[in-house]
Amino acid sequence: MKILSDKPERVSLSAYFELFMNLTRREIKGRYSQSLFGAGWAIAQPLATMAVFTLVFARLGKMPSGGAPYPLFAYAALVPWFFFSNSVMSGTMSLVTYRNIVTKTYFPREIVPLAQVGSRLVDITAASGLYVLLMLYYQLGLTPWAALIPLFLLMLVLFTVGVTLATSAINVFYRDVNPVVQIGLQLWLYLTPVAYPLEAVQNYRWFFLLNPLTGVVEGLRAVLVFGRAPEWGVVGISAALISAIFVGALILFKSTDKYFADVI
């Protein structure tokens, strides 16, 4: 394959893209090839969490959902959350997992964590299919504001890629990053307005606005569940944070990737 060349300047972009696709397909096959339910597990995770949240937060905690059916309210936020969480968890260990090709073959190292994020697009697509069924069940239609969905998905992917690049690079040098990330993600879920609306934490609004996922979750919920314009101030803050984190993570990754082969 061209990708094995020791002269990176002669390797075409198509060869790098081919490697990216091969790694992405490998991750998808490895995750679902011998699974009884296959991609159904991508639906089971947010669905089960939605059921627990509905019982704990809606039924017992009487958490408001802005007049929308709580299962729909929660599921609309859980789908992007699990895309982010699962991508970061698997992406953090990706360079170590693929140490054989990282140490022996030249290619842009960011392809490895990017393949982890790419493979999770299958999950979010499958999980989104169930959301469509929930909309039909609750007789909820789309409004013209749904045209903004690609914007929030782009923000979600950029943020996910940024965090994954950063954690995967740091994990090469400090292997205890992975357990820290796992614990952090567990706490992060409850510090993101997934089970509750942003309005429910008005006294700490400034703190929650520092979470880049707040604008993504609130924006998707606004255009999908409520059929209205998002709160542009919240979206703007999240977009600025995501842009800064993405650029910073890319700089961090590219400034350290030359040491990966020696350290890993």
Side-chain angles (χ1 to χ4, degrees), residues 23-59:
L23 291 178
T24 301
R25 283 193 291 267
R26 177 176 177 177
E27 287 299 318
I28 295 172
K29 290 180 179 179
R31 193 182 308 141
Y32 298 125
S33 61
Q34 294 182 317
S35 173
L36 181 61
F37 297 104
W41 287 113
I43 300 174
Q45 192 176 25
L47 181 61
T49 308
M50 178 198 73
V52 173
F53 279 9
T54 300
L55 174 63
V56 175
F57 291 98
R59 299 292 176 84

Side-chain angles (χ1 to χ4, degrees), residues 10 16 37 48 50 54 59 97 101 122 176 208 226 239 241:
R10 295 184 181 180
Y16 292 146
F37 297 104
M50 178 198 73
T54 300
R59 299 292 176 84
T97 301
I101 63 173
V122 173
D176 49 358
F208 283 85
F226 299 107
L241 290 172

Side-chain angles (χ1 to χ4, degrees), residues 6-162:
D6 58 356
K7 298 180 179 180
E9 67 275 10
R10 295 184 181 180
V11 179
S12 66
L13 291 177
S14 62
Y16 292 146
F17 181 74
E18 180 184 356
L19 176 62
F20 167 75
M21 294 302 299
N22 287 337
L23 291 178
T24 301
R25 283 193 291 267
R26 177 176 177 177
E27 287 299 318
I28 295 172
K29 290 180 179 179
R31 193 182 308 141
Y32 298 125
S33 61
Q34 294 182 317
S35 173
L36 181 61
F37 297 104
W41 287 113
I43 300 174
Q45 192 176 25
L47 181 61
T49 308
M50 178 198 73
V52 173
F53 279 9
T54 300
L55 174 63
V56 175
F57 291 98
R59 299 292 176 84
L60 301 179
K62 306 298 181 182
M63 182 65 65
S65 58
Y70 187 85
L72 202 64
F73 174 88
Y75 193 81
L78 285 168
V79 171
W81 165 259
F82 278 116
F83 169 78
F84 167 75
S85 176
N86 291 334
S87 295
V88 172
M89 280 197 293
S90 60
T92 298
M93 288 295 296
S94 60
L95 291 170
V96 176
T97 301
Y98 286 95
R99 60 166 61 88
N100 288 337
I101 63 173
V102 170
T103 57
K104 297 177 181 178
T105 306
Y106 173 82
F107 64 95
R109 304 299 192 244
E110 57 269 28
I111 289 178
V112 175
L114 283 176
Q116 297 293 326
V117 177
S119 69
R120 295 293 175 178
L121 292 175
V122 173
D123 296 3
I124 196 173
T125 301
S128 298
L130 179 58
Y131 182 80
V132 174
L133 296 179
L134 288 173
M135 291 183 66
L136 294 174
Y137 176 79
Y138 287 107
Q139 298 181 348
L140 184 69
L142 293 177
T143 69
W145 288 109
L148 293 176
I149 293 175
L151 168 64
F152 296 112
L153 291 180
L154 176 62
M155 291 172 60
L156 174 65
V157 171
L158 285 179
F159 182 58
T160 302
V161 168

Side-chain angles (χ1 to χ4, degrees), residues 238-250:
S238 291
L241 290 172
I242 288 171
S243 299
I245 290 171
F246 177 79
V247 173
L250 188 58

